[in-house]
Amino acid sequence: MNQSIGVQEVTKNFAIRRRDFSILVAQSELFTCEVLSQLLKEQGYNVVGRAVEMEDTLQQIMVKRPKCVILESEISGERSFEIVEQMQSANQQTKFILYTRKPDLRTVAKAMQKGFFGFLYATDGLEELYRCFQTVSNGGCYYSSGFMDLLKNFGVDIISESTREELNRLTEREREVLRMVASGHTATEIADRLNISYRTAVNHKAHIAKKLNLDSIRQLPRYSIAVKNYL
């Protein structure tokens, strides 16, 4: 009986977290947009809007301030990435998940340089999408199995499954610090750029090294350079 109550409580809390995770669905085709929105609602997610055009997507983000946007690259090609850049410039906290159906290498490469927190390919199933939401909502970055296969087909060096899981443990701030380490910044420079203390910067690096199962922070530069495209 107690075990049953415990399971019910966990399920209830998970449902609450889903409702708190507001989502805007931005897809290029109206039918796909509506179907995906309905599926997410049935799973308990808080879908606050849907859009099929770039201008409408941007307007809804500004008004509804969703925590997450599933942005299809085909909605406006590479111009879709301008939405991500505008939101970053405005310090908007919305996190973007890239969904692509007909990608080319240039689009994929450019997307990986932007501020996306999730990457999905058309071959991915709904369970992959839900795992992506869970990772992104916890501050991590998610690369689906379909997207990883896509990178492999393009001849892009890809990280192992274990490395991907390690990176998914990092928070948004920790990923930011690791990106700066990959760019050659010292702890002092990281502290100055992020407006934090030197000790806090060093602590961030120590926590990152621990989460990545590294022996010491001295291994961070080499590691960060190897995974730079996935941060």
Side-chain angles (χ1 to χ4, degrees):
M1 178 66 70
N2 290 337
Q3 182 178 4
S4 176
I5 294 176
V7 172
Q8 291 176 5
E9 188 65 26
V10 170
T11 302
K12 178 182 178 181
N13 290 338
F14 185 53
I16 292 174
R17 288 197 298 273
R18 287 188 175 186
R19 286 199 298 272
D20 290 342
F21 191 60
S22 56
I23 299 169
L24 173 67
V25 179
Q27 303 284 296
S28 61
E29 298 179 359
L30 180 59
F31 178 77
T32 304
C33 188
E34 291 183 344
V35 169
L36 180 56
S37 298
Q38 186 59 39
L39 286 172
L40 293 175
K41 288 180 180 179
E42 291 175 356
Q43 290 297 317
Y45 287 100
N46 179 20
V47 179
V48 296
R50 55 182 185 268
V52 294
E53 296 179 353
M54 181 175 170
E55 291 73 17
D56 187 26
T57 301
L58 183 57
Q59 181 65 26
Q60 290 200 52
I61 293 174
M62 297 298 291
V63 173
K64 299 178 180 179
R65 297 184 179 276
K67 292 186 177 179
C68 176
V69 176
I70 309 175
L71 180 64
E72 183 181 357
S73 61
E74 286 75 18
I75 201 170
S76 190
E78 291 187 14
R79 288 188 61 234
S80 304
F81 304 152
E82 295 176 10
I83 296 177
V84 182
E85 294 175 337
Q86 289 184 46
M87 293 302 98
Q88 289 176 331
S89 298
N91 292 320
Q92 182 86 3
Q93 298 302 308
T94 299
K95 297 179 178 180
F96 291 85
I97 294 174
L98 178 73
Y99 172 85
T100 184
R101 292 183 295 111
K102 301 176 182 178
D104 56 68
L105 180 56
R106 174 174 172 168
T107 300
V108 170
K110 187 171 183 179
M112 292 179 68
Q113 296 173 0
K114 302 300 178 181
F116 287 96
F117 282 81
F119 297 85
L120 299 168
Y121 186 41
T123 57
D124 294 318
L126 286 175
E127 287 304 317
E128 193 87 55
L129 175 61
Y130 300 149
R131 284 194 292 270
C132 181
F133 283 151
Q134 184 174 1
T135 299
V136 171
S137 66
N138 289 329
C141 186
Y142 189 86
Y143 292 83
S144 73
S145 56
F147 191 83
M148 296 294 283
D149 288 340
L150 178 65
L151 294 179
K152 187 176 181 180
N153 291 336
F154 279 142
V156 177
D157 291 335
I158 60 175
I159 57 177
S160 66
E161 182 67 23
S162 60
T163 301
R164 185 173 68 156
E165 291 177 354
E166 290 172 353
L167 292 178
N168 285 341
R169 300 171 192 161
L170 302 181
T171 65
E172 182 177 347
R173 174 48 64 92
E174 289 169 342
R175 298 179 77 88
E176 185 177 15
V177 170
L178 194 57
R179 283 195 294 268
M180 297 181 72
V181 172
S183 298
H185 294 293
T186 65
T188 300
E189 292 171 334
I190 292 173
D192 290 341
R193 287 173 175 262
L194 299 182
N195 196 28
I196 58 179
S197 70
Y198 171 82
R199 176 50 54 187
T200 299
V202 172
N203 287 339
H204 276 313
K205 293 174 68 175
H207 292 155
I208 293 170
K210 183 177 181 180
K211 287 185 177 181
L212 298 178
N213 296 320
L214 301 179
D215 293 333
S216 72
I217 62 175
R218 283 193 288 268
Q219 294 180 332
L220 278 180
R222 181 177 180 180
Y223 184 101
S224 62
I225 292 173
V227 301
K228 186 175 181 179
N229 288 335
Y230 297 88
L231 295 174

